[in-house]
Amino acid sequence: MRAARAVIETERQAVGNLEHRIDSHFVSACQLVLECRGRVVVLGMGKSGHIAHKIAATLASTGTPSFFVHPGEAGHGDLGMITRDDVVIALSNSGETGEIITLLPVIKRLDIPLIALTGNLASTLGKAATVCLDVSVAREACPLGLAPTASTTASLVLGDALAVALLEARGFNAEDFARSHPGGSLGRRLLSVRDIMHTGDEIPRVEEKTILSRTLLEMSAKGLGMTAVLDERGEVSGVFTDGDLRRTLDAGFDVHTTTTGEVMTKNGKTIAATCLAAEALRMMEEYRINALLVLDQDRQLIGVLNMHDLLRAQAV
C-alpha cells in the first residue's frame, strides 16, 4: 500500500507541475495545429508510442484530424503518409530516441511544423522542434527510476490539454462529438432528436374538425399512440393521445360526433429537432408523457418522437 500511494503522489506532483508550463509555447503549439491544412501526425516509440496513439485518437475525436505513425515503420516507407500540409507531434522523454531523430532531416526538408513533447528541451529533438513543450518530471514513479511512469503520465495529460484547448478554439460541440462517436454509449447519449424522430408520412396528424372516429384510425395506422392536431392554418394547436382517448370515453363523448378539437390537449409539449435525445427523455419524465411533437424554428410540425423511439435507439 505504501508503494502504491508513493506512485500516486509522484505522478500527482508530475501533473501538477504542468500547470505552470501552459505558456506562450503551448499557445504557439495550438496555433500551429489550428492553421494546419492537413492532419496532425503523432509519433512515439515504446511507452511514448502508446501515449502518442492515445493523443492522436483524442485529437481525432474532438475535431482535429489526426493519426499515429510508428517512427520505426516511418523509416521504412510509412513516412509517405506525411504530407507538406501536416503538422507533426513527436513524443520522446529523452529527446534522443533514435527512430525519431532519423526522421528529423526528412521532416525539415518537407518544411513541416514540428511540435515536440520532451523531458529534455536541450535534446536533439527539442532543438529541432518548431515548438517544444516541456514534459520533464523530477523522477519516475518506478523505484528503480527506469520504467516510464510519471513521464508518460505527464505527456498524456499535456496531450489532453492540447486536445481540449483546440476543441474549445474550434467551437466543437456535443453534436459534433456525437457525429464522431456513432457507436457505443457515448454516441447513443449524444443522439439528437432529429436522428430518431418520425418524419413525413410517418407523422400522425389530423385537423381540429376531424371526427374522433377518424382520428382513431389515423392513430392506429401510424402506431405511435398519439396524433398532432392542426388548426385551419395547418399549425399545431394540440395533441390527442391514448390517455386523452380514455378520458374522452370515460366522460361519455360519442366518437362518431365529437371533433378532435373538442377533446384534444391544447398546447402539448414540443421540442426542437436539434435537442439531444437525453433532453427529450428528461421532458417526458418531468411531464409524465410518452410523446413529443417536434417543431422547427417557425413552429411548424416536422416530426414526432415517443418513448419507444428512445428505447429502440438505446438513448436512455
Side-chain angles (χ1 to χ4, degrees):
M1 291 176 64
R2 180 183 58 79
R5 291 194 179 99
V7 170
I8 293 172
E9 176 59 22
T10 298
E11 300 209 13
R12 184 192 66 77
Q13 291 178 9
V15 171
N17 290 335
L18 293 177
E19 184 177 355
H20 306 293
R21 300 175 192 168
I22 305 301
D23 53 16
S24 60
H25 298 289
F26 183 86
V27 173
S28 295
C30 290
Q31 194 63 43
L32 286 175
V33 175
L34 288 171
E35 293 173 354
C36 176
R37 293 178 299 171
R39 299 185 179 185
V40 175
V41 182
V42 191
L43 308 173
M45 282 295 295
K47 302 299 186 294
S48 291
H50 294 300
I51 301 303
H53 261 293
K54 196 276 181 184
I55 291 174
T58 301
L59 287 168
S61 70
T62 52
T64 299
S66 178
F67 62 95
F68 171 79
V69 171
H70 190 287
E73 298 296 334
H76 294 275
D78 282 3
L79 198 61
M81 300 168 69
I82 306 175
T83 74
R84 294 181 182 276
D85 292 329
D86 297 333
V87 169
V88 172
I89 297 178
L91 279 68
S92 171
N93 186 45
S94 68
E96 301 293 346
T97 303
E99 292 84 350
I100 292 179
I101 301 305
T102 300
L103 303 179
L104 294 181
V106 181
I107 293 173
K108 285 298 182 182
R109 280 200 298 273
L110 289 172
D111 196 25
I112 298 173
L114 172 62
I115 300 170
L117 270 66
T118 180
N120 184 0
L121 302 183
S123 63
T124 303
L125 175 62
K127 291 177 180 178
T130 311
V131 175
C132 191
L133 301 181
D134 183 5
V135 291
S136 61
V137 298
R139 62 183 184 282
E140 296 287 7
C142 166
L144 300 177
L146 300 175
T149 45
S151 59
T152 49
T153 299
S155 295
L156 176 63
V157 172
L158 196 61
D160 284 344
L162 187 64
V164 173
L166 292 165
L167 176 152
E168 291 193 356
R170 295 183 192 280
F172 193 84
N173 58 32
E175 188 174 346
D176 297 320
F177 194 85
R179 280 196 291 269
S180 60
H181 295 76
S185 60
L186 281 175
R188 292 193 295 271
R189 284 207 326 259
L190 292 169
L191 282 172
S192 70
V193 170
R194 179 183 286 110
D195 295 325
I196 56 178
M197 70 183 186
H198 298 271
T199 61
D201 293 338
E202 295 180 356
I203 303 174
R205 65 187 99 196
V206 298
E207 297 179 348
E208 291 180 358
K209 61 184 179 183
T210 303
I211 297 301
L212 204 52
S213 58
R214 291 188 175 275
T215 295
L216 298 183
L217 291 175
E218 174 72 359
M219 292 171 63
S220 178
K222 301 300 172 62
L224 297 179
M226 52 78 66
T227 180
V229 184
L230 310 180
D231 62 21
E232 57 186 12
R233 295 172 298 181
E235 298 179 355
V236 175
S237 58
V239 63
F240 188 79
T241 68
D242 287 339
D244 292 318
L245 174 60
R246 287 192 295 272
R247 288 185 288 272
T248 297
L249 295 177
D250 288 343
F253 285 93
D254 185 344
V255 298
H256 298 292
T257 59
T258 304
T259 65
T260 306
E262 294 177 66
V263 291
M264 69 180 182
T265 297
K266 296 181 180 180
N267 302 317
K269 299 301 178 183
T270 65
I271 194 168
T274 53
C275 289
L276 293 179
E279 172 63 12
L281 173 63
R282 185 198 64 75
M283 288 183 64
M284 289 183 189
E285 291 177 338
E286 179 180 352
Y287 296 109
R288 298 184 179 181
I289 55 178
N290 293 315
L292 289 167
L293 303 180
V294 185
L295 307 185
D296 65 14
Q297 59 185 10
D298 297 320
R299 303 291 294 172
Q300 296 297 306
L301 179 67
I302 59 172
V304 172
L305 179 73
N306 70 12
M307 181 65 77
H308 295 296
D309 299 321
L310 296 173
L311 292 173
R312 277 194 296 271
Q314 299 182 355
V316 298

